[in-house]
Amino acid sequence: MIKDKKAIGMLDSGVGGLTVATEIIKTMPAEKIIYFGDTLHLPYGPKSKEDVRKYVYKIIEYLNSREVKTIILACNTATSMLLKEIRQKIKLPLFGTIDGVLQSVREVTKNKKIGIIGTKGTIKSKAYQEALLQGDSTLKIYAKACPKFVNLVEKGVFKGPKVLKIAEKYLMEFKKQDIDTLILGCTHYPYLIPVIKKVMGQGVKLINPAETMAEKAKNIIAVKGLISGKHEDIVDFSNHEFYVSDLNKVSLEFLNKGTNYLNLPDLKFEELHIFD
Ligand code: DGL
């Protein structure tokens, strides 16, 4: 039942979006992906919406030129700032990390007190807060930007006393607010799950939004008749394509530890100049 062999296009500000790619590959093993990480402009978190828009549209133009069948914004900052806007503009099915977050929250929370952490851009956009409150106005939402987490993860530092100290400082207020659910609204944060769990304790469930998003994307891709094959058909990993805009800015430390953490094989990133 081979239907549509075109690839799924994915974009992120860097290689952090591999946490999202991992969920896509796990959920849709028959699909080939073309991943573009904009390391030249990383991080997106502190940048203006205008700048992020400029970069993201350029990457979408590239992915369109590769005739992908769908596009995934594997970046919470880009999703929060631009998902709604881009959805109005492009014909392809488009998914962002926020898709499905309401469902995840509903499945998990008991006391309806929800924490959300992300980059400055994500938190300032209020996109997660709005998506949740539109679905359930009785939720109590507490949001906090945790910019230092990205720098640590980029350096390949996923655990240890320094990470723990920073995590305690950022997350302390959530403990006072008695949240029972914490949304990891940044591609880099899933690498810190062991530390975040340690700080928040057993009573707080962590949500990686990419998990439900991948499920949602799978269902919609199937409904639209865009699936590549049976999901038992596993794409040879070397068929996936991974690109970055600046290879010098790929932290090898992060890449090595990150792929290991995500149980991915060694990845070969190619540099691609789409911003010239
Ligand atoms: N990929 C970004 C996100 O998920 C994190 C890194 C950045 O600031 O660009 O928000």
Side-chain angles (χ1 to χ4, degrees), residues 12-14 16-17 42-46 74-78 119 122 150 185-188:
D12 181 35
S13 54
L42 177 94
Y44 281 1
C75 172
N76 290 265
T77 310
T119 65
T122 296
V150 169
C186 174
T187 52
H188 287 57

Side-chain angles (χ1 to χ4, degrees), residues 55-162:
Y55 308 140
V56 168
Y57 276 90
K58 199 77 197 162
I59 306 170
I60 290 180
E61 200 181 302
Y62 166 70
L63 292 172
N64 270 328
S65 77
R66 296 295 314 275
E67 299 191 342
V68 295
K69 61 184 170 192
T70 177
I71 292 178
I72 294 182
L73 301 183
C75 172
N76 290 265
T77 310
T79 296
S80 302
M81 290 178 173
L82 299 166
L83 180 69
K84 277 191 192 156
E85 172 189 316
I86 302 174
R87 222 170 230 157
Q88 312 256 316
K89 292 203 170 134
I90 68 168
K91 288 196 198 89
L92 290 179
L94 176 77
F95 304 96
T97 48
I98 208 164
D99 288 320
V101 74
L102 179 66
Q103 183 189 326
S104 310
V105 163
R106 278 194 170 131
E107 280 164 13
V108 167
T109 189
K110 296 219 160 48
N111 72 7
K112 295 199 171 201
K113 293 180 186 168
I114 316 297
I116 153 98
I117 52 177
T119 65
K120 281 190 180 147
T122 296
I123 300 303
K124 201 173 137 221
S125 78
K126 294 199 164 38
Y128 271 97
Q129 295 93 312
E130 281 164 13
L132 292 171
L133 288 172
Q134 264 162 25
D136 182 349
S137 60
T138 66
L139 293 173
K140 195 106 188 87
I141 298 168
Y142 304 94
K144 185 161 181 75
C146 305
K148 284 187 184 160
F149 279 166
V150 169
N151 297 337
L152 287 168
V153 172
E154 282 289 319
K155 289 188 192 121
V157 185
F158 299 171
K159 56 185 181 189
K162 195 172 169 197

